[in-house]
Amino acid sequence: IMSKNKNINDSDSDEETSVQDTISTQDISDDENDSNDDDSSEGFEQQSSSDESVDSNEDDNESITSDTNEVTNINLKEIENNIREWDSKNISHERKINKAQEYIHTDDLSSDDEDITDKNTIGRVPLHWYDAYDHIGYNISGEKLVKRKGKDRIDLALSMHDDPMARRTVYDMYNDKEIILSDRDLEIIRRIQAGTYAHPEHNDMPDYVDYESSKKEIMPLSAMPEPKRRFLPSKWEMMRVMKIVKAIKEGRYVDKKQLKEKEKDTINNLYLIWNDQEDEIVAESLSLRAQYHLPAPKIPLPGHAESYNPPIEYLLSEEEIEKQNELNPKDRFYNFIPKKHDCLRHVTGYENLIKERFERCLDLYLCPRKLKRRLNIDPETLIPRLPKPKELKPYPNSLAIQFLGHTKAVRSISVSPDGQYLVSGSDDGTVRLWEVDTSLCKYTWNISKNNKPINQVVWNPNPTHHIIAVIVDDELVLITTGTGDNDSNDITESLLSTINDEINSNIDSNDNTNDEILSDDEDDNQDKNQKKSKKNLKGLGIWSNYKRVSDNDAVIKNGSKIGPRVLMKCKSEITKVVWHYKGDYLATVVPNYGANAIGIHQLSKAKSQFPFMKSPGNVQTISFHPNKPYLFIGTQQHVKVFHLIEAKLVKKLISGCKWISSIDIHPSGDHVIVGSYDRRVVWFDLDLSSTPYKTLKYHEKAVRDVSFHKRYPLMASSSDDGTVQIFHSMVYSDLTRNALIVPLKILRGHGVIGNLGVLACEFHPKQPWIFTAGVDGVINLFQDI
């Protein structure tokens, strides 16, 4: 556009020269900023100045004509001609300025964009993108703007010659249009090229007008005085004024000026005895004393007994008065005897008033007071937010089935791996096999000798081995149940056949070893020790066939015998038996054997081994790790973890209990729960520490048994108080989160006989159910109902 304007300025020389001549004739003496104001005002100023000069010339001419009469007429004509010429020049100059400014004052503030519908809406997009198309963009309606055929240089030269408006025409390449510049556009371009503002009336330095501070209001909006009815005299102000008046009369009133003068005099009279540092230390000590000042405790308010007319229940009888007088004054409940008076004026003076006040002064003076920081903590915030029991279902909550048949206390129970059968051992010397769904007793075996109790029954955890291990005094009996299918029964029979073969072979080998032992040289001390050790080992675990039941009395099902099959004899009483998770090994505890108290027996080879050379302690219970070669041994106060392959102690857990009764391992193998006879249930996190993670004290008497569920996050503990506590025990795989233990339910259903209650508890392997056995000879099944 600027290049096009240069051509227009060169071609239209007459218009430009006329406009520039009119603007160049402005008054140069004015300021540069004032020159950009309205041009018409400058023209009028010039005309007024010319009129003044004419009037001065006329006065001079009159003086000249009075002096010289000859030249008067000639000068008057010349002056009139000059005035006419000057007026005509000013009028023509003013017309030219007004004509140029008419273009600027014709401002059209309306927007032309609303009327133009063929405007290109592509924005700031390079036009060469549309070189390959027949259009250059789109209008506001979305229609294409078709390219029109452009003019070549010959057409432009002809249009410049023929068209009078060609010099004012500008080509808009975005809209593909030719725009004719108006006079107003030319005037704006000219003013911009000249370095001035586009609009002549624009004032870039307006005068500052102070509208607020310059106007001073003398009269308010309403100068009416307040009515007297609104005035309310203040009682407290009157009392303050009277106090000041009284002080003035007595000469006690001091002004602020007088106070300041007294302070200055006191400061000037003071002088330093010590150095500045000691003064600063003293000042700091005084500030600390003021900061930590402890006010004296207040005397408690009087109660009803100290009233002159107390209630009747606060009055003491004669016997109570005598008892109170016999007591030491420090032990008495009251330092006085409550009395009743009809009115306040009948009350006599208190005898011990001076004495009590003196004692209080001594207490405040002699008794030191100490500042204690007290933490105001809401006790509810310290309690962890536990979920509600309804949110933690399923868990056993109701008694569903009872298994009746035992005549004495049931010491032990065990559930089959599939959860269909239950086996129990009682003090009546019998072992019973029950169906869980129907509570039907299928088999009853009386394997006790001399009516001794059944200490423990344990079902083999391997689902293909339907074998039960039973402890009776110093014997371990293996019973086949026949509860499996044909394949599992065949596997069980093949295992027992290998046991029988190994038993026969072991009997022959034991006879030979005995002969060799007897033929050794008795003179050698080392050989003697070996003989003694072998003799001691002999008889610790002797395997044999169970012969108390004849073949005619044996029950045969699917070609296999059902009942006691194998017997292992020990020299002392067996207290505990535990199966390995593979089902081929089992461990027994014989406390009187010392270092050989714990024996591990292999069924497939009918052999026994004793892994410890030294006694691990007073062994109470044992348990295998669910998936690692670890053996957990519970002594009287500790739990020791041994690695069976490496034969070393891995960890020692400090329970803090006086006497451990039972132990169970979580299915994950990282958590251990221990029950004790001192009413405690202790939870250990093996990855966390050797000290208890949680110690639960919910039972009132000794804890007999503890158990984990194999599938659900449940834990249970049975006690001699006749209750079974059910807990939600969630163990997270994230190591940063601790186990969540929430008490859920207290199950009751067993009686307490001779300070004994629930002796055993075990969860169902697949359902959220729990079996409990008590001293009352009843087995209860609690289900989630």
Side-chain angles (χ1 to χ4, degrees):
I1 294 172
M2 298 300 293
S3 62
K4 202 71 174 177
N5 289 335
K6 291 181 181 179
N7 295 329
I8 294 169
N9 290 329
D10 295 337
S11 62
D12 197 2
S13 60
D14 296 335
E15 292 179 1
E16 290 295 325
T17 52
S18 63
V19 175
Q20 290 178 0
D21 291 336
T22 55
I23 294 175
S24 62
T25 56
Q26 296 177 357
D27 191 3
I28 302 173
S29 63
D30 295 338
D31 194 12
E32 292 181 359
N33 294 327
D34 296 332
S35 65
N36 294 328
D37 294 340
D38 194 358
D39 296 339
S40 61
S41 60
E42 294 175 357
F44 287 114
E45 289 176 0
Q46 292 177 359
Q47 186 175 1
S48 61
S49 62
S50 63
D51 294 337
E52 291 177 359
S53 63
V54 172
D55 294 336
S56 60
N57 291 329
E58 288 179 357
D59 294 336
D60 295 335
N61 290 331
E62 289 178 0
S63 61
I64 292 170
T65 53
S66 61
D67 295 335
T68 57
N69 294 324
E70 294 178 357
V71 192
T72 302
N73 296 325
I74 298 171
N75 289 334
L76 288 173
K77 291 180 180 179
E78 292 178 357
I79 291 168
E80 289 178 356
N81 293 328
N82 291 331
I83 289 171
R84 290 174 181 174
E85 291 177 0
W86 183 254
D87 291 338
S88 62
K89 289 181 180 180
N90 288 336
I91 291 168
S92 61
H93 177 65
E94 183 178 1
R95 288 177 180 176
K96 290 179 180 180
I97 292 172
N98 292 334
K99 184 177 180 181
Q101 291 180 350
E102 284 179 358
Y103 307 137
I104 303 300
H105 289 291
T106 58
D107 290 338
D108 187 6
L109 300 179
S110 64
S111 177
D112 297 337
D113 295 340
E114 297 177 357
D115 299 335
I116 300 174
T117 58
D118 295 337
K119 186 177 180 181
N120 197 350
T121 59
I122 61 173
R124 300 180 65 181
V125 175
L127 288 179
H128 65 81
W129 290 2
Y130 292 89
D131 291 344
Y133 301 96
D134 58 347
H135 63 282
I136 59 172
Y138 304 89
N139 59 8
I140 195 170
S141 300
E143 299 176 354
K144 294 182 180 180
L145 297 177
V146 182
K147 295 180 182 178
R148 64 186 182 86
K149 187 177 181 180
K151 296 181 180 181
D152 54 3
R153 293 187 177 182
I154 297 174
D155 295 334
L156 291 174
L158 293 175
S159 62
M160 290 289 291
H161 184 268
D162 298 336
D163 189 3
M165 302 302 292
R167 298 181 183 277
R168 293 182 173 223
T169 304
V170 179
Y171 177 67
D172 185 5
M173 57 182 175
Y174 269 86
N175 294 311
D176 197 12
K177 289 184 180 181
E178 292 181 352
I179 300 173
I180 299 174
L181 298 176
S182 62
D183 295 337
R184 182 175 182 275
D185 297 334
L186 293 175
E187 180 61 21
I188 291 173
I189 294 170
R190 185 198 63 76
R191 291 185 67 85
I192 292 173
Q193 288 179 348
T196 61
Y197 293 98
H199 202 285
E201 293 182 358
H202 176 73
N203 185 10
D204 60 337
M205 297 179 67
D207 295 334
Y208 175 74
V209 180
D210 193 359
Y211 293 100
E212 296 181 0
S213 61
S214 61
K215 295 181 181 180
K216 186 177 180 181
E217 295 182 357
I218 299 173
M219 295 297 292
L221 296 176
S222 176
M224 184 177 179
E226 291 288 332
K228 291 184 178 181
R229 64 178 179 272
R230 295 184 184 176
F231 177 76
L232 294 175
S234 176
K235 175 183 176 182
W236 307 107
E237 289 181 359
M238 183 182 68
M239 293 173 65
R240 180 67 178 168
V241 170
M242 294 302 296
K243 188 176 181 180
I244 294 172
V245 170
K246 185 178 179 181
I248 292 172
K249 289 180 180 181
E250 294 177 359
R252 295 183 289 101
Y253 186 79
V254 181
D255 296 336
K256 292 183 179 180
K257 294 181 180 179
Q258 295 177 359
L259 288 174
K260 291 181 180 179
E261 291 177 357
K262 287 184 179 180
E263 290 177 359
K264 289 181 181 179
D265 294 336
T266 54
I267 293 171
N268 294 329
N269 293 329
L270 296 176
Y271 60 95
L272 298 175
I273 298 176
W274 298 281
N275 54 9
D276 297 338
Q277 295 180 356
E278 293 181 356
D279 292 338
E280 292 176 359
I281 295 169
V282 171
E284 290 179 359
S285 64
L286 292 175
S287 63
L288 290 174
R289 288 180 184 178
Q291 183 178 1
Y292 294 102
H293 173 66
L294 298 177
K298 295 182 179 180
I299 300 175
L301 296 176
H304 294 289
E306 298 179 0
S307 174
Y308 74 92
N309 189 12
I312 299 173
E313 57 268 18
Y314 288 94
L315 298 176
L316 300 178
S317 62
E318 294 180 358
E319 296 178 357
E320 292 175 350
I321 292 172
E322 292 179 357
K323 290 181 181 180
Q324 187 174 4
N325 292 331
E326 292 176 358
L327 295 174
N328 192 9
K330 295 182 179 179
D331 298 335
R332 293 174 184 176
F333 191 74
Y334 297 118
N335 294 330
F336 60 94
I337 297 174
K339 295 181 181 180
K340 189 172 185 179
H341 302 277
D342 296 335
C343 56
L344 187 60
R345 67 175 179 272
H346 292 170
V347 179
T348 59
Y350 183 51
E351 298 176 356
N352 300 325
L353 177 63
I354 297 174
K355 183 180 179 181
E356 288 184 357
R357 295 297 177 184
F358 179 71
E359 290 178 354
R360 175 168 172 77
C361 291
L362 291 179
D363 293 339
L364 296 177
Y365 174 67
L366 297 176
C367 295
R369 295 186 298 276
K370 185 178 180 181
L371 181 64
K372 291 184 178 181
R373 294 183 179 180
R374 186 177 180 181
L375 297 176
N376 295 324
I377 300 174
D378 188 5
E380 295 181 357
T381 59
L382 300 177
I383 301 174
R385 295 182 179 179
L386 299 177
K388 296 180 180 180
K390 294 182 180 179
E391 300 175 358
L392 302 177
K393 285 188 175 182
Y395 59 88
N397 52 19
S398 300
L399 178 60
I401 300 175
Q402 284 188 337
F403 300 86
L404 305 176
H406 287 289
T407 58
K408 292 184 180 180
V410 180
R411 293 198 176 192
S412 178
I413 55 176
S414 182
V415 189
S416 63
D418 56 1
Q420 296 181 2
Y421 298 95
L422 173 69
V423 64
S424 61
S426 174
D427 286 349
D428 57 5
T430 61
V431 177
R432 292 177 180 265
L433 183 66
W434 311 81
E435 285 187 355
V436 174
D437 295 336
T438 61
S439 70
L440 175 64
C441 180
K442 293 192 67 175
Y443 302 106
T444 301
W445 299 289
N446 189 357
I447 60 176
S448 175
K449 61 179 182 179
N450 300 326
N451 294 326
K452 290 189 177 181
I454 306 296
N455 292 333
Q456 190 179 5
V457 291
V458 184
W459 205 297
N460 194 317
N462 193 335
T464 59
H465 297 165
H466 294 269
I467 302 174
I468 301 172
V470 182
I471 298 176
V472 184
D473 194 17
D474 57 352
E475 296 178 350
L476 174 63
V477 182
L478 300 181
I479 301 175
T480 56
T481 61
T483 55
D485 54 4
N486 295 330
D487 295 336
S488 59
N489 289 333
D490 293 341
I491 295 172
T492 304
E493 286 297 326
S494 63
L495 178 63
L496 293 177
S497 63
T498 56
I499 292 174
N500 293 328
D501 296 339
E502 292 293 335
I503 288 172
N504 296 327
S505 63
N506 287 334
I507 291 173
D508 298 335
S509 63
N510 288 332
D511 294 337
N512 295 328
T513 54
N514 291 333
D515 296 336
E516 292 177 359
I517 292 170
L518 294 173
S519 64
D520 287 339
D521 190 7
E522 296 179 357
D523 296 334
D524 192 2
N525 294 329
Q526 185 177 0
D527 293 339
K528 289 181 181 180
N529 294 330
Q530 290 179 358
K531 291 176 185 179
K532 291 180 181 180
S533 62
K534 290 183 178 181
K535 287 181 180 180
N536 291 331
L537 290 174
K538 181 181 178 182
L540 291 181
I542 300 174
W543 293 90
S544 63
N545 295 320
Y546 192 85
K547 299 179 180 179
R548 296 176 189 172
V549 179
S550 61
D551 295 337
N552 298 326
D553 297 334
V555 179
I556 299 174
K557 183 180 179 181
N558 297 329
S560 62
K561 294 182 181 180
I562 298 175
R565 301 289 297 277
V566 180
L567 175 66
M568 187 188 74
K569 180 73 174 178
C570 294
K571 290 183 179 180
S572 181
E573 182 183 2
I574 304 173
T575 59
K576 189 72 174 179
V577 61
V578 178
W579 284 100
H580 191 263
Y581 67 93
K582 291 183 179 180
D584 191 22
Y585 294 90
L586 57 85
T588 57
V589 177
V590 184
N592 296 330
Y593 274 9
N596 300 323
I598 298 175
I600 299 176
H601 315 280
Q602 187 177 5
L603 297 183
S604 60
K605 296 181 180 180
K607 290 183 179 180
S608 301
Q609 56 182 345
F610 302 93
F612 299 101
M613 299 297 294
K614 295 181 180 180
S615 176
N618 188 6
V619 181
Q620 302 296 319
T621 181
I622 58 174
S623 180
F624 283 104
H625 194 278
N627 48 29
K628 293 182 180 180
Y630 290 164
L631 180 64
F632 291 81
I633 301 175
T635 61
Q636 186 171 343
Q637 294 182 351
H638 303 91
V639 177
K640 298 179 181 179
V641 184
F642 288 92
H643 198 291
L644 296 176
I645 297 176
E646 298 178 0
K648 67 177 183 179
L649 179 64
V650 178
K651 184 174 287 188
K652 183 178 180 180
L653 305 178
I654 302 171
S655 65
C657 303
K658 294 182 180 179
W659 202 293
I660 294 175
S661 62
S662 56
I663 187 174
D664 194 15
I665 316 299
H666 194 269
S668 64
D670 297 331
H671 301 268
V672 180
I673 186 172
V674 176
S676 65
Y677 291 113
D678 54 352
R679 304 178 298 173
R680 297 185 182 182
V681 177
V682 183
W683 179 296
F684 288 97
D685 189 348
L686 299 180
D687 296 334
L688 188 63
S689 174
S690 61
T691 56
Y693 166 65
K694 291 286 184 181
T695 301
L696 308 176
K697 298 179 181 180
Y698 289 96
H699 291 287
E700 297 178 357
K701 293 185 179 180
V703 177
R704 289 288 176 177
D705 196 7
V706 291
S707 178
F708 275 116
H709 201 289
K710 295 181 180 179
R711 291 191 177 184
Y712 293 91
L714 295 175
M715 179 187 73
S717 62
S718 60
S719 173
D720 284 339
D721 57 3
T723 62
V724 178
Q725 299 276 354
I726 305 298
F727 298 90
H728 175 82
S729 56
M730 175 60 74
V731 176
Y732 301 97
S733 58
D734 188 3
L735 298 178
T736 59
R737 300 182 65 180
N738 295 327
L740 177 64
I741 304 173
V742 182
L744 296 176
K745 187 70 175 177
I746 301 176
L747 302 178
R748 293 181 175 87
H750 293 279
V752 179
I753 302 173
N755 293 328
L756 297 177
V758 184
L759 301 179
C761 65
E762 186 169 352
F763 281 103
H764 193 279
K766 296 182 180 180
Q767 299 294 331
W769 302 344
I770 188 170
F771 298 89
T772 60
V775 72
D776 53 358
V778 180
I779 303 172
N780 293 333
L781 172 58
F782 294 90
Q783 296 181 355
D784 178 25
I785 299 176

